[in-house]
Amino acid sequence: MKSSSVRLLLGVSVLLLSGPTVSAVSLSVRPNLQQFFRDSKLTLRCDEEGQTADGWTVKRTAGGKTEQCGTSQQNFGRTEGSSCIISTLFKSDSGVYWCENSSGKISEHIDITVTGGQFILEVPALPVLTGSDVTLRCRFRDGSTRPANLFKNGEPSRDEPTGEFNISNVQQSDEGFYSCSVDLAGESPRSRLRVKASPPPPPPTSCSSSPPPSRPSSPVSVARGLVLSFLCHLVVVCPFCISTVLMVSIYCSRRTGNTPTVSMEMPQRAGGGQGLDGVYDDINADVTTEYDF
C-alpha cells in the first residue's frame, strides 16, 4: 500500500475518533463531485437542513496535516461569506474534508481527489438516496466522454460506448468504490459511491387539511388517502343533505295547499227547551262546522 494511502486512512481514523458524527450537519460540495482536474475551482460549505450551519468550520486533512479554511498561511482556501472557496486546485489539495464546530463535533467526511490525468470519473460527493437514479460519467478534461469500462471495487462491471453509466433504482448493494478506464489512456482514480436510505413515508393524515408531502407517495398510500377523505366528507355532508330535503318537502307541501281539513260536528241538543220568551221550538238539526287550518 502506498504511503499516501496509509496517511489518508490514518487521517480518516483520527476523524472518526475525535468527535461524534452529527447527521444534521453536512458538508456541501459544489460541484457535487469527488474527483477534480487540477486548476479547477471548488466551493465548500457547512449546511444544516439546507441552511448555513452557524458556528461550523470547514476543515481537512491533506498531506499529513490538519488545516481549516481561512486566509492565513497555515490554512487553505479563503472564506467568502459562509463558504470556503479554493480557486485553483492542486494535487496537494487531495484529502479528507469535513465540518467541525467549537465543541469538537464533526460531520461525515468527504474524500476529495485532484488529478493531473486526462480524465476522471464523476462520482457524487454527497450520498445517493435509495430508490433514486444516478449517472457516473467518465469525463475528459475537455468535457467530452468516450467509450469506457466501469470498475466496481476493482472488478470489471460493464462497458458503455458513451462513457456514461446509469444506475437506476439505487440500492445499498450499489455502494462501493468505482473507477473507469479508457483504452490507451489508463484508469481514473477510485471514489466511493455512498448510498443512504430514503426517509420513511409520512404517517396517515386525518380528516383535517394538511399540506401535501414533500415527496411523492406510493399509489397505495394515495388511494388510502383518497378513500379516507371521501368518507370524511360523506359523514359531514349527508346529514346536511337529508335535513335540506326534508325542509324543501315541507315547504313545497304548504305552497301547494295540501293541508288537511278538520271537521267538527256539534251533537244534537237533548230535548226541547224554552227560551226566555217561552218559545223554544224543537230543533232537530245537526250543526257541522269546518275549520281550515
Side-chain angles (χ1 to χ4, degrees):
M1 183 179 292
K2 296 181 180 179
S3 59
S4 60
S5 300
V6 174
R7 288 197 299 269
L8 183 59
L9 293 176
L10 290 176
V12 174
S13 300
V14 171
L15 289 178
L16 296 178
L17 294 175
S18 61
T21 298
V22 180
S23 59
V25 176
S26 61
L27 177 62
S28 172
V29 181
R30 295 194 301 268
N32 183 22
L33 299 174
Q34 296 184 55
Q35 298 182 18
F36 294 88
F37 291 111
R38 189 178 54 195
D39 299 332
S40 300
K41 180 180 178 180
L42 175 63
T43 301
L44 307 163
R45 194 179 73 175
C46 298
D47 288 344
E48 184 174 9
E49 297 181 353
Q51 303 295 327
T52 302
D54 296 329
W56 290 77
T57 305
V58 178
K59 290 189 174 184
R60 78 177 185 184
T61 295
K65 61 180 180 179
T66 300
E67 307 168 305
Q68 72 177 33
C69 184
T71 55
S72 66
Q73 293 182 352
Q74 291 77 21
N75 298 333
F76 70 95
R78 73 177 192 276
T79 56
E80 188 173 296
S82 58
S83 300
C84 174
I85 299 177
I86 304 177
S87 300
T88 304
L89 287 170
F90 297 95
K91 294 183 68 175
S92 58
D93 291 312
S94 298
V96 181
Y97 290 73
W98 73 95
C99 293
E100 185 174 333
N101 65 3
S102 57
S103 62
K105 294 182 178 180
I106 65 174
S107 68
E108 292 183 349
H109 71 275
I110 294 179
D111 296 317
I112 299 296
T113 302
V114 182
T115 178
Q118 302 181 47
F119 59 95
I120 60 174
L121 178 63
E122 294 184 343
V123 179
L126 300 180
V128 179
L129 295 178
T130 55
S132 61
D133 301 335
V134 65
T135 300
L136 309 181
R137 293 181 179 87
C138 198
R139 188 177 296 280
F140 280 73
R141 184 178 290 272
D142 60 3
S144 64
T145 57
R146 305 174 192 176
N149 299 317
L150 182 68
F151 289 81
K152 178 183 179 183
N153 298 328
E155 298 294 332
S157 176
R158 56 174 167 162
D159 59 282
E160 289 289 344
T162 61
E164 298 186 355
F165 306 92
N166 299 316
I167 304 177
S168 302
N169 190 22
V170 173
Q171 299 300 317
Q172 202 67 43
S173 59
D174 293 314
E175 187 171 271
F177 289 90
Y178 289 83
S179 63
C180 66
S181 67
V182 178
D183 292 341
L184 304 179
E187 185 176 350
S188 72
R190 293 201 309 169
S191 291
R192 180 188 175 195
L193 175 66
R194 294 186 297 163
V195 179
K196 182 179 180 180
S198 299
T205 57
S206 60
C207 292
S208 58
S209 59
S210 59
S214 58
R215 300 181 182 278
S217 303
S218 63
V220 176
S221 300
V222 174
R224 186 183 296 113
L226 292 175
V227 171
L228 180 60
S229 176
F230 174 75
L231 292 177
C232 291
H233 284 80
L234 195 63
V235 170
V236 174
V237 173
C238 279
F240 175 77
C241 294
I242 294 174
S243 60
T244 303
V245 171
L246 290 176
M247 292 178 63
V248 171
S249 177
I250 295 173
Y251 176 78
C252 291
S253 59
R254 287 185 176 180
R255 290 292 301 270
T256 54
N258 295 332
T259 305
T261 301
V262 180
S263 299
M264 297 181 62
E265 183 174 338
M266 301 296 294
Q268 180 178 347
R269 185 181 181 90
Q274 299 293 329
L276 294 177
D277 296 332
V279 182
Y280 254 135
D281 296 329
D282 291 335
I283 302 173
N284 292 320
D286 294 334
V287 179
T288 300
T289 305
E290 293 186 355
Y291 297 92
D292 192 2
F293 293 100

